[in-house]
Every structure is written in structure tokens, then in C-alpha cells.
Amino acid sequence: MNTIALVGAQWGDEGKGKVIDILASSADYVVRATGGSNAGHTVVCGENVYKLHLIPSGILYPNTVNIIGNGVVVDPKVLLEEMASLKAQGVEFGKNLIIDVRAHVVLPYHKTLDELAEKAKGKDAIGTTKRGIGPCYADKSDRIGIRMIDFIDPDTFAQKLKSNLALKNKIITAVYGGEPLDYNAVLDEYNGYAKQLAKFCCDTGAVLYDAIKADKRVIFEGAQGALLDLDSGTYPFVTSSHPITGGFCAGAGVGPTAIKECLGIAKAYTTRVGAGPFPTELNDEVGDHLLNVGHEFGTTTGRARRCGWLDAVILRLAVRINGLTSLAINKLDTLTGIKKLKIATHYMRDGQRVDNFPADISLLERCVPVYEEFDGWTEDISSVRSYDELPQNAKKYIDAVERLCECKVSMIGVGADRDQNIYRDR
Ligand code: IMP
């Protein structure tokens, strides 16, 4: 079997787009199975920078089929805008993109409700991307969601939109004091999108199953990261899907034996956007270094990311819940020039050692990271292509990651470009 899952091992933004893009060049299929337009992948290819939110990264290769699986929540407007901007950069759309008929559709009321709910939470706001992700998944669980199959059938869409909008408008006005949405305006606008997207819709799970049986090369492309998982992450400061390898199975319509390798992607340090606990966060000049040298600003929202030391406690959680077979460590070059580097090995709370990531965020907030310290390096590593050529201290850092996370490091990123990598295990 020729299948691999690429999954975020921290709080998202680990540079998955770059790794996915490298592997996508030799993939037959690239599958998105979770999340929606809350995700943002930046792929740098020479002079060209591609920003992807919903479309899998294989779209940059003409012979790769890109699947938006049943577990994704699809915002048709964002998807069509993204297609238009890729078309302007020379990407053609034909048989290289398919969308599952079971995928749920993000509609304007989901975005309105996301925004209003966040505002109402005040200081307890999650810091969502306001892309309507939570409200859309909530409708899916509540069994009132509108799926692509409903969306592309004008009669079904009109009828489901009518009943949903009646209910949502009551919530928008009576609960939040917001402005109701106009049924006819939404219907007309979104019918236009449905017409354009209908030809891309099919049962992608069946297509994928046949591809795997035929030993095609398949990549499951993760969005977000392990710590944002609805069950295992820093609940409630999480997203509303399962951005972990188990979630890829449900969201792509295949079983767990369909995934052979699970590659976790992490940065050489940690970042997080939005609210919620972050034990190794740095609010000092090292944090500023990581923010500025690492260009840590969100692809989707442009927000500055919170930055901190690498945390082996969260990476061990990622290894466990994803069944990782190896790790890719990105942005090692961002650490160049920092005199002393630190990795959190475990936490201490009320005099007790904590090795496993706590479920209760109020307990987590009381955890103090315990660090192992490493000497840094000053040499420019951006043109290093083999492990042996890395400065001794950089090698020590990577060896420590393997030891503390109990997972081998198969790939190291030393720059944003596609070829700025060190492979230890192809
Ligand atoms: P939502 O997914 O928009 O509901 O946001 C929930 C939480 O997940 C917020 O803290 C977001 O900042 C975070 N989040 C969602 N998508 C991403 C992502 O692609 N990268 C990093 N954080 C994300």
C-alpha cells in the first residue's frame, strides 16, 4: 500500500503545506478529510506563492487528483474564490478536483453565528477563524446540515435552506440581537455557486477505495493540528473536527487499514493562534525572534501567532493519538542565532510531575514546564541538505526531539522553499 497521512502535531500552522507539496509531486491522489476554510496552507514554489484553504495541495500538479472528502465542511464561496485565484496563477481545473457529495456546506448563517457567538462569549471567546466551522459541524451533528448532494439539487436546497434559515434567523435575532439574513438573496447567490460546483461532486470515498486497491499513491492532507482536536485537544479551545489520523478515515470514507504511514509535522518550536493555554509560550525577546524570523502570521486571518519553546509533552500526545510513524521538524533555521535553546520535557503542577497532557485546562494553566537546555548555533543552515552537515548543536537538538518524543525524525525543514529540506529516511 502506498498511502501516507500528513498530520499537524501541534496547534496547526506547522508548515504542513510545504511537506504535503513535496510529497504531492509524486502522488496520484491528495485527500482533505477534515476542517474547512479555517485552514491555510502556504506553498512556496520559486517566485510563486500559493495560498490554499480548501483545495488540497496536489492541485499544483496536473496529474494529481485532489479529493475534498465527506468530512470537510465546504464553503462554496471561498472554494470558488480560491479556484479563481489559482486559475489566475495558471492552475487548470478539470478531473483533478472532486468533492464528496456527503460533505457539508458552510452557509452565510454559519459564519454569522460563529461571529455572534464569539462576540457573546466576551473574554471567554475561543478566537475562532469566524469561518462558520463550528456552527456547520454543529448542524451536521444535529442532523439538519445541508450536504453537497442537497446543495446541487435546487429543489432540495431551496426547501432545506428555507427551514434552516427560519430557525437560524430566530437565533440570530432573538438570542444575539443580530440582523436576519434574507432567504431569497442567499438562495440566489448560493444557487449560482451550486451550479458551478455540481460537476465536481461525486462519491469520493468509492473513488479513493478503488485507488488504494490499485496501489495508487495517496496522501491524506491534514489541516489544523493534534492539539486542536475536538476530543484530545485543549477543549474548549479547539476546532470542531478531528484533525488527526483517525479523523482522516472517517472524513475520507475509508478504514484505518487504508493508511500505512503517519507522518506528524511539527515546527522546531511551538506556535498557537487564538485563545487557550500554551504552557511554553514566550513573551520575551526569544518569542519576538520566533515571531519575526519565523514570519509567524496566519495565512487565513493574518493574526500574529503566539510563539514558544518546543514542547515534548504535546508532541508525545500527538505521537500517541495519531499513531505517528515519524516526525518532520520544520523551520529549524528559525532557531539559528538563539544562544540557549529549550525543550519542555514534562510539567510540574503543585509539586507533582506531569508527563501526560492534562484534560482539564484549569489544571493545565497551573502546569509549569520543566526544560532541558541546549546550546544554540550561529551557522546559516538554510543551504544544508544532509544531516551530517548540520552544526553539532543542531544535531543534538534533533536527537533530543527523537528521544523526548519517542519518535524518529525523518525530515527536517531549513527554509520555506520546496527544496530546503534534509531527508533522513525517504
Ligand atoms: P475554528 O476552527 O475557526 O472554529 O477555530 C477554533 C480554534 O482553532 C481557534 O483557536 C483557531 O485559531 C484554531 N484554528 C482553526 N484552524 C486553524 C489552523 O488552520 N491553524 C491554526 N489554528 C487554527
Side-chain angles (χ1 to χ4, degrees), residues 250-313:
V254 292
T257 49
I259 304 180
K260 189 173 170 224
E261 299 278 332
C262 299
L263 175 64
I265 323 282
K267 276 180 201 159
Y269 48 98
T270 311
T271 64
R272 165 161 215 182
V273 284
F278 179 176
T280 62
E281 184 167 15
L282 290 167
N283 291 306
D284 59 10
E285 69 281 7
V286 178
D288 292 345
H289 171 107
L290 299 173
L291 177 74
N292 296 315
V293 179
H295 309 291
E296 294 297 350
F297 298 90
T299 309
T300 303
T301 59
R303 289 182 285 181
R305 296 175 183 143
R306 300 156 66 194
C307 298
W309 294 122
L310 193 68
D311 185 342
V313 182

Side-chain angles (χ1 to χ4, degrees), residues 11-13 38-40 126-129 133 224 228 238-239 273-274 303:
W11 273 288
D13 309 316
N38 49 350
I126 308 283
T128 74
T129 59
I133 307 300
Q224 290 86 42
L228 290 172
V238 292
T239 191
V273 284
R303 289 182 285 181

